[in-house]
Each structure stands twice: as structure tokens, then as C-alpha cells.
Amino acid sequence: MLNIRLRHSVSHKILAAVVGISAFFTLLTTIVIAYADYRTELNQLDKKFVQIETSFLSALVRSVWTVDEVQIGITLQSITHLSDIEYVAIFENDGSQASYAKGQKPDSGFKMMSFPLKQTEDGDEQTIGRLDVYASMTEINNRIIQKAVFLIVSQSMKTILASVFIIMMINLLATNHLKKMTTFFNRFNPKEEKNQKLTLTHRSSRYADEIDFLSDSINKMAENLQDLYRNMENKIQKRTRQLSEKTNDIKSMLQNMQLGVFTLIDDNKIHKEYSQYLKLIFEQDDLAGKDGIDLICQGSDLSGDQIDQTRAAVSNMIGEHILSFEINEHLLPREIVRKVAGHKRILEIDWQAIADNQGDHITKMMVIIRDVTKLRDLEIEAQKQREELVIIGHLLQNKPQQNHKFTNNLMTLSADVRKELHKTDTQMEALYRLVHTLKGNARAAGYLMVSAAAHELEDHIDLMTKQQKIKGGTSALQKSYEAMSACIEKYMEIYQTKLSTVVSEKRSDGHVMENSLKKCLNIVKNVDIHSDANVRQALAEISMTLQHTGYIDLRNIVSDLRSGLKSVAQSLGKPTPQIQVIGQGVRLSSGQEATLMAVLNHCFRNTIDHGIESPEDRRKKHKPEQGLIQIKVMEDAGRMLFMISDDGRGLNLKKIREKALEKNLISDGASNLELAQTIFSGKLTTAQSVTDVSGRGIGMNAVKTFLEEKGGEIAVGFDGPMSSEGFQPFFFRIVFPCRDEEIFRCA
């Protein structure tokens, strides 16, 4: 460590920097000076060539012209005496051999200059030869190199001397102090109680420099570190005590909480720390190290695939990024039913990922198990009680005699559905109509839970009709029917067991019978038995009175249906319509009551949903918000005729035509009356979506089929022109099948 400090000390680094920078600038300066000297030498050489041309060339031309060899030799010798000129030679015209020469011709490193020798004779200039002068570049280069070496050596000596001086100053002013600071920090221990100070050789404060200020700062920092350490120790001790208390609290909680809490580590093993209640839940001891997935899932209602899926999900999460928990959390079971020591327990499971200190990767998986068996039992019981209260509320909306009729009617229809369902050649359309009728009657009675169950059964029938082969379709249909049947039986049970003691079970027909009997007794008491005329009259009155008791007034049926139509109107955001009966001189036998109720119920529901407008639209058309349904009753050749109309907008013939053409129910040239009859086809609806009121197009088909099976009929007639929007007022013409003895004609 010491060698490292010496090898990398500040003074050495500064020395290396000074030497490097000095060497660089020395080399750069030397190169610049050498280049400048080289250019100077070249200029001097050029000047010598010029001197030769101006001073020697004319004399040499005369000597050559006069062939004065002595003078030629003297002139050439004078040229070679010039510095750096080593060789001169005279060549005659076109001569390759020198006629005269002086000096040693260099083989390399020279610069040569040729001068033509020209003589003028009688105004005629002619070239008599040339002079070649060779200057040695080697000498010039040697001089430049010697000068460069001298510069480098002299500059290096200066650099060395300056570096030695700088190092001495740095060691004196900085390095020694830095070494002392390093030694101080190496020996500094904040645990020691005594104050530790860095002591340097100080000059007076007048001459204090940065090193002195740094020394003072280090001493203050050392004091602060000692104080900080002491405070930190106190805090650590305090936090240790708090952590110990919390640990004890957690252990106490694990011992006493009513939850099964444990953590899963590698290989899905249970960590040694877990709550005591976990033992009570699973009735096992020594759970540490056991497979946590097996503990939870074995003997539960989870399939083998679900158990393997849970095991794989947990194994893949531990050790992976925290995002893997968020991605795979849905694969973990949240509630299971498990057998423990022969008892069924419902366990609610919460999974929580425990991440590392960085919060990036999962290290453990915490599992919290809650035994909710009793809670679920209470919830089931509370749900039963809530359903019972809802059913009682539905029943209390009707009169006792109405509930009696409605429940019996629904039980009858349910039995018909069961018979159709159990046939080997079940007709889906017939089954559809029965269920739809049952749903409509239940909705009319205000039995909303029954209508909802019937609507679900309709969905299953619709699905099986559209897709001929559905895996498990028959069992699903049976299950849906059983749910609806159980709901009807629930209404019947509550009506018979809960309400029989708090409401009067006297029915209106009972009152009629009682009044009729009293009237008959009065007739018998007051008759004069000695008068045949009086006896015949009394018998006629008694006969009329007794016949009256076995028949039902249409007003009572309409009244019962109207009370049930309130929920239908409310669900559509419309007021309950007024129902007006015209022609009340005819009564029907009580055996026809259920048939007539089913037919009228479908017609009324269709009118409220499709015929009568919303309150806003009726206000715009200056109509009262409450719609009006009118029933005209009359007898025709032993049959009952019902003409049902309303004051709504009428049939949407434009939309019906589009739907009918789309489904190939009519031809392009079909009349509006023919078009209107397609609403009975069972394949057409103008509703935007399926609701528990309408939307399947089966309602009016059910009415038509129901009436035709009984020997009746239904058709659509028009009683007004078609509007510009494509709506036309209409009425239902219903022929109700009755035997003569089933009709009572009031006098």
C-alpha cells in the first residue's frame, strides 16, 4: 500500500506532467526553429547562385570564348571557394563531357543550378556552352541537426532544473501535508471518546494557505463525525429496541391472530415462522418445511390441472421480477373448499409477493388463509332471508286471491314446460312459447325473480335453437328449468306458509257464493208455495243466481292483470296505462280464466312496449302521458270476440317490412295487412335488444299458437291511416273459444 502511495504521489504526477509538457513544447520549438533555419539556408544558397551569375558568369564567358584556360581555371576555383559549393563544370554545346571542372562532384544530397554561357558578336547572341554548379545539402542539414540537438539539450537541462525545483516546493508545501492527512484518516476512529486532531506545521495566520484551511476543515469534520457516530449509535440502539418490541409483537400476533399466515420460500416450502392458527385450520403440527401448495390444495375442490397450475405459478414467481406476480396473479386460487379431518371448510386465500430491498425481485410469497365457513353459511342464510323478504314484497303487491290465481297458474305452466322438456321429441318452438308465456305471467304478477329465471331459461332455449349441437346443452337446459321451477315453488311456499297467517284468504268468488246463497235463502223464505207462478218465478231467480256464481267478470281479470303491469311499465319508463272495458254484459266460466289471462297479458305487454309511446313523445303529440288500452267484448255466434286497441302510435310497418323481407317472410308486393300478420310468425321483432320484457319475437306467436290449440284465432286489423313516419294504428281481433254453457249472458 505504501509503494502504491509513493508511486502515485502528487509530486510524481506533477513531475510527469511538467516533463511531458516541457518535452512536447521543446520538441515543437526545435522543429519550428529547424524549419526556419532550413529555409534560411536555402535562401542563402539561392543568393550564392545569384552571386555566381552576376559576378563570375560574364568573365567566364570571355575566357571560354578566347579559350583562356588559365583564366577559366582561376574563375572556377573562385566559385568553389564559396561556402557549400563543392563542384563546378563547363560543358560545350551538346557535350556530355565537361570541358573544364573543379571540385568533387557529390553523388547525393546536393542542389544543382545550370547557367547558359552566351556570347554576343556583331549583335548576334549565341550559346557557347553551360555552367553547372553543385551545392552540398549535406552540410546544410548537418548544421541544422547540430543546432537542433543543442536546443533540445539546453531545453532539457532547463526542464530538469525547473522540475527539481517544483518537486521540492510541492513536497514542502503540499505533499508532506497530504501524507499527514492520509495518515490521520487511516488512524481516525470515530468510536474513540477523545478528540482526534490533525496537526500540521503552521505558519502564522497571516501566511496561511489553502492547506491550512483544509486542515482546519478536516478537524471540524472529524469532530462532526464523532458526534454523528455517537448519535447514530444511540439511534441504532433505540431502533434495535423498537425492532425487538415489534418482533415480539409480530410473534404475539402470529400466536393469537385468527388467520393462517405463512411464507413460501424455495421449492414452495413453508418458512419456519407461521401463525399458530394455521395449525388449527389444517389440524396439523410441525408445518415448517412442508410443501405449502400440497397443504392448501390437497383434498380441495381444485382439479389436478388447477393444482399443477398453482404450483407452477408460485415456483415461477419466486426469484423473478415483481412484474411476474402481477402477470400470473390470476392463476392463484382465491377461495377453495377443502376437507379437513372429515369436515368441509371454505378457505379464503390471499397471496402477497415479498420483494427484495430494491423492490425488484420476489424472494418469498406470503399466504394468508381465512376460514370463512361460518361466514359463508351466514351469508347463504342472509341471502335466503333477503330473497324471502323480496318475495314477500312481491306477493304483498297483489290481493290474496290474485296470488292464489297467479301461483297456481305458474305451477300449471311449469308442469307443462317439464312435460315438453321430457319428451323424446321436444319441440323447441313449443317449449319456447310455454316459457315465454310463463315469463309474461310472472312479470304481470310482479314475481320478478320468476320472470328473471324464465328469461335465463329462454336464453338457453334460444342458444340450443341457433346451434343444434351444444356440448352439455340438454343438461344446462334442465338445470335452468330446475332453477326456475324452484323459484316458483319458493313463491308458492312463502305464500302458503308465511302469508296465510297475516292476510285474509277469503276470495272474491267466495263472497259471491256467500251472497248468492243468502239471496237464494231469502227467495225460498219469501216464496208462496201455494202459487205455481210464484214458485216458477222463484226457481228462475234461484237458477239465475246460481249460474251467476260460476262465472267471472272480465273486469276482475283486467284488474288483476293491471296491477301486475305496473312493473312492466316502470321498467320501460312509462306510466301504467288505463284499461277500459266496453261491453260488460257477458261473463265467462271460471275454467276459461287462465287462458284469457295468458292471452290478455301478452297483448297488454306488447302494447305497453311497442304501441304506447314514451311520456316525452306523447307530450309532443299533445296526448296525456298515461296511455289508454281499450277492450271491446261481444258475442258472435256462440263465440267471444275481443277487440284490443290502444291510443299509441301503431305498428311500425316500415321497420316490420324491412325485417320481414330480410327474413323472407313476405314477398315484395305484400299488402300492409298481410305484412302486419307477420308479427305472429315468431321470427320477427322490432326491438333493438333482448330484455326480460321483449326482444325475441316469440310473444305474439305464443298467443296465436295458444289460441289455435284451443280452437280460437287472432289477427291484426287497422283502424286508421298510416302516418308519414310509417306507423299505422291497429287492433287485435281475438276470437275466444267458448262453449255455449261457458258463457253467461247478463239480463
Side-chain angles (χ1 to χ4, degrees):
M1 190 70 181
L2 181 61
N3 292 334
I4 293 175
R5 290 197 193 102
L6 291 175
R7 189 162 55 247
H8 298 286
S9 64
V10 175
S11 58
H12 289 178
K13 291 179 181 179
I14 294 176
L15 176 61
V18 170
V19 171
I21 294 172
S22 298
F24 172 75
F25 280 105
T26 298
L27 183 61
L28 181 62
T29 303
T30 302
I31 292 173
V32 172
I33 293 174
Y35 179 74
D37 289 344
Y38 179 75
R39 296 303 302 173
T40 301
E41 290 289 346
L42 290 180
N43 290 335
Q44 292 295 330
L45 187 59
D46 290 338
K47 288 180 180 180
K48 289 175 185 177
F49 285 142
V50 172
Q51 181 183 357
I52 291 172
E53 183 179 9
T54 56
S55 301
F56 296 98
L57 195 60
S58 59
L60 190 60
V61 169
R62 287 193 300 271
S63 301
V64 172
W65 179 257
T66 58
V67 194
D68 188 352
E69 295 182 356
V70 175
Q71 188 60 40
I72 290 172
I74 293 172
T75 302
L76 294 178
Q77 187 70 34
S78 299
I79 292 173
T80 57
H81 285 167
L82 295 174
S83 61
D84 300 324
I85 302 300
E86 291 196 358
Y87 177 74
V88 292
I90 295 175
F91 294 86
E92 294 181 357
N93 289 335
D94 299 328
S96 59
Q97 293 291 329
S99 301
Y100 305 96
K102 287 289 183 180
Q104 183 67 34
K105 183 179 179 181
D107 295 330
S108 62
F110 61 86
K111 182 178 182 181
M112 188 270 287
M113 180 67 72
S114 294
F115 299 98
L117 300 178
K118 295 180 180 182
Q119 173 65 33
T120 303
E121 184 70 24
D122 297 330
D124 184 17
E125 185 178 63
Q126 57 179 331
T127 300
I128 60 174
R130 76 174 188 278
L131 174 67
D132 289 347
V133 181
Y134 289 81
S136 176
M137 295 302 295
T138 302
E139 292 295 331
I140 295 174
N141 292 336
N142 288 337
R143 288 197 300 272
I144 292 173
I145 290 171
Q146 289 175 0
K147 188 174 181 179
V149 170
F150 175 77
L151 287 173
I152 291 172
V153 172
S154 61
Q155 290 295 330
S156 298
M157 294 299 296
K158 291 178 184 178
T159 300
I160 292 171
L161 293 175
S163 299
V164 170
F165 177 75
I166 290 171
I167 290 173
M168 291 175 62
M169 294 302 296
I170 290 173
N171 284 330
L172 178 64
L173 299 177
T175 306
N176 291 333
H177 296 312
L178 293 175
K179 289 179 180 179
K180 290 181 179 180
M181 292 178 188
T182 303
T183 303
F184 172 77
F185 278 116
N186 288 334
R187 295 178 179 177
F188 178 75
N189 187 358
K191 297 181 180 180
E192 294 184 6
E193 294 294 332
K194 65 178 182 178
N195 292 331
Q196 304 172 64
K197 287 191 175 182
L198 172 64
T199 304
L200 301 178
T201 304
H202 281 281
R203 295 181 295 276
S204 63
S205 59
R206 181 179 178 183
Y207 298 102
D209 54 19
E210 289 82 354
I211 297 294
D212 299 314
F213 293 133
L214 179 60
S215 175
D216 294 338
S217 299
I218 289 173
N219 287 326
K220 290 179 181 178
M221 184 181 66
E223 293 177 5
N224 293 334
L225 284 174
Q226 285 184 300
D227 293 339
L228 182 62
Y229 181 81
R230 286 191 286 269
N231 293 334
M232 186 65 69
E233 272 197 331
N234 294 333
K235 289 183 178 179
I236 290 174
Q237 292 175 359
K238 181 179 178 181
R239 293 298 172 87
T240 302
R241 289 193 299 271
Q242 293 175 348
L243 182 60
S244 178
E245 292 174 359
K246 289 183 178 180
T247 302
N248 293 332
D249 291 341
I250 292 173
K251 288 182 178 180
S252 178
M253 290 172 60
L254 289 175
Q255 297 295 326
N256 299 292
M257 67 168 48
Q258 300 296 303
L259 294 173
V261 181
F262 65 95
T263 53
L264 292 176
I265 53 179
D266 294 336
D267 298 328
N268 297 327
K269 301 299 182 184
I270 298 176
H271 191 265
K272 62 181 180 179
E273 298 291 343
Y274 55 85
S275 67
Q276 291 298 311
Y277 194 71
L278 190 66
K279 297 180 180 179
L280 298 178
I281 292 177
F282 294 101
E283 298 185 11
Q284 296 183 33
D285 294 325
D286 300 327
L287 298 176
K290 291 187 176 181
D291 191 300
I293 305 301
D294 286 343
L295 179 69
I296 297 172
C297 300
Q298 291 300 329
S300 70
D301 58 344
L302 297 178
S303 66
D305 289 341
Q306 290 174 315
I307 295 174
D308 292 340
Q309 176 180 275
T310 303
R311 186 186 305 279
V314 175
S315 299
N316 292 334
M317 289 179 194
I318 297 177
E320 298 299 325
H321 196 275
I322 192 70
L323 286 176
S324 64
F325 176 76
E326 298 179 9
I327 295 172
N328 298 304
E329 184 180 5
H330 67 283
L331 301 176
L332 304 175
R334 294 297 177 177
E335 185 171 297
I336 62 172
V337 178
R338 190 186 190 281
K339 285 187 177 180
V340 179
H343 302 289
K344 184 184 77 172
R345 289 189 175 178
I346 303 174
L347 304 179
E348 191 176 73
I349 308 172
D350 185 25
W351 306 80
Q352 296 292 333
I354 301 176
D356 55 16
N357 294 331
Q358 289 74 29
D360 294 334
H361 292 81
I362 300 172
T363 58
K364 302 175 184 177
M365 185 71 67
M366 183 169 70
V367 185
I368 303 172
I369 299 178
R370 183 184 180 194
D371 188 349
V372 295
T373 307
K374 293 182 179 179
L375 180 61
R376 291 293 181 268
D377 291 340
L378 290 174
E379 288 177 352
I380 292 171
E381 183 61 30
Q383 179 64 24
K384 289 181 179 178
Q385 293 179 1
R386 284 195 294 269
E387 289 180 358
E388 188 173 294
L389 289 175
V390 170
I391 292 173
I392 290 174
H394 294 166
L395 292 170
L396 289 177
Q397 291 178 357
N398 304 316
K399 296 177 181 179
Q401 62 272 19
Q402 291 175 329
N403 284 324
H404 183 81
K405 294 177 183 178
F406 289 146
T407 52
N408 286 335
N409 174 261
L410 293 178
M411 290 294 290
T412 301
L413 287 173
S414 177
D416 292 341
V417 172
R418 183 174 62 253
K419 290 178 183 177
E420 186 66 35
L421 189 61
H422 288 165
K423 287 181 179 179
T424 55
D425 56 342
T426 300
Q427 298 296 319
M428 285 298 176
E429 291 186 3
L431 185 63
Y432 212 157
R433 287 192 294 269
L434 285 171
V435 175
H436 192 75
T437 300
L438 188 150
K439 183 182 77 169
N441 290 355
R443 188 62 187 264
Y447 299 170
L448 301 184
M449 293 176 63
V450 176
S451 65
H455 186 74
E456 184 176 347
L457 179 55
E458 276 187 328
D459 288 338
H460 282 95
I461 297 171
D462 188 37
L463 187 61
M464 291 190 66
T465 302
K466 292 178 179 177
Q467 303 179 11
Q468 294 298 323
K469 292 183 179 181
I470 301 175
K471 186 177 181 181
T474 304
S475 61
L477 198 64
Q478 181 66 30
K479 186 176 180 180
S480 182
Y481 165 74
E482 290 173 357
M484 182 191 72
S485 178
C487 190
I488 296 173
E489 291 174 358
K490 188 71 174 178
Y491 272 80
M492 175 70 82
E493 177 190 358
I494 292 175
Y495 167 68
Q496 292 177 344
T497 60
K498 302 290 184 180
L499 298 184
S500 61
T501 59
V502 296
V503 298
S504 173
E505 289 296 332
K506 291 183 178 180
R507 299 181 56 200
S508 60
D509 52 355
H511 287 292
V512 172
M513 178 65 73
E514 182 180 353
N515 293 333
S516 297
L517 290 176
K518 288 181 180 180
K519 185 176 180 180
C520 289
L521 287 174
N522 289 330
I523 294 172
V524 172
K525 288 179 181 180
N526 298 323
V527 69
D528 183 1
I529 60 174
H530 300 290
S531 172
D532 292 339
N534 289 339
V535 171
R536 285 194 296 272
Q537 182 180 357
L539 289 174
E541 290 180 0
I542 292 172
S543 176
M544 181 68 69
T545 302
L546 292 178
Q547 286 180 6
H548 186 275
T549 59
Y551 293 86
I552 301 170
D553 193 338
L554 180 61
R555 290 174 299 177
N556 293 336
I557 297 176
V558 170
S559 177
D560 290 347
L561 289 175
R562 189 179 188 281
S563 61
L565 293 176
K566 291 181 181 179
S567 61
V568 177
Q570 288 175 357
S571 66
L572 297 172
K574 300 176 182 180
T576 305
Q578 177 185 358
I579 301 177
Q580 184 182 38
V581 180
I582 300 175
Q584 301 176 3
V586 179
R587 294 172 181 265
L588 294 176
S589 68
S590 58
Q592 296 291 338
E593 180 182 7
T595 304
L596 184 58
M597 283 186 66
V599 172
L600 294 180
N601 182 39
H602 275 298
C603 292
F604 289 168
R605 286 159 57 86
N606 185 78
T607 297
I608 295 174
D609 191 10
H610 298 291
I612 297 175
E613 308 94 331
S614 65
E616 295 78 8
D617 291 340
R618 291 181 68 86
R619 283 196 298 268
K620 292 178 182 178
K621 296 178 180 179
H622 306 291
K623 296 180 181 180
E625 291 187 6
Q626 184 183 31
L628 173 65
I629 300 175
Q630 191 176 77
I631 307 175
K632 294 180 181 179
V633 188
M634 62 193 73
E635 183 185 2
D636 179 24
R639 300 185 303 174
M640 295 294 297
L641 296 182
F642 294 87
M643 312 292 283
I644 303 175
S645 61
D646 61 76
D647 66 344
R649 59 191 174 186
L651 287 176
N652 189 350
L653 293 181
K654 180 179 179 181
K655 197 166 188 179
I656 291 175
R657 185 175 292 275
E658 292 176 359
K659 295 284 186 178
L661 289 173
E662 180 183 333
K663 295 180 180 294
N664 296 321
L665 299 178
I666 60 169
S667 61
D668 291 339
S671 66
N672 288 345
L673 192 58
E674 291 173 334
L675 176 64
Q677 310 310 316
T678 60
I679 67 174
F680 301 112
S681 66
K683 302 177 182 179
L684 186 143
T685 178
T686 58
Q688 297 295 328
S689 60
V690 176
T691 67
D692 60 349
V693 177
S694 65
R696 301 185 189 274
I698 196 68
M700 298 312 298
N701 175 260
V703 173
K704 182 178 178 63
T705 304
F706 191 59
L707 283 170
E708 288 177 349
E709 289 175 352
K710 300 290 184 179
E713 59 185 62
I714 184 172
V716 173
F718 295 132
D719 57 358
M722 185 168 61
S723 68
S724 59
E725 298 174 349
F727 293 92
Q728 186 161 3
F730 74 103
F731 62 88
F732 288 118
R733 181 181 182 275
I734 299 173
V735 177
F736 199 75
C738 292
R739 295 189 300 274
D740 188 65
E741 62 270 18
E742 292 177 324
I743 304 175
F744 178 78
R745 302 165 182 84
C746 298

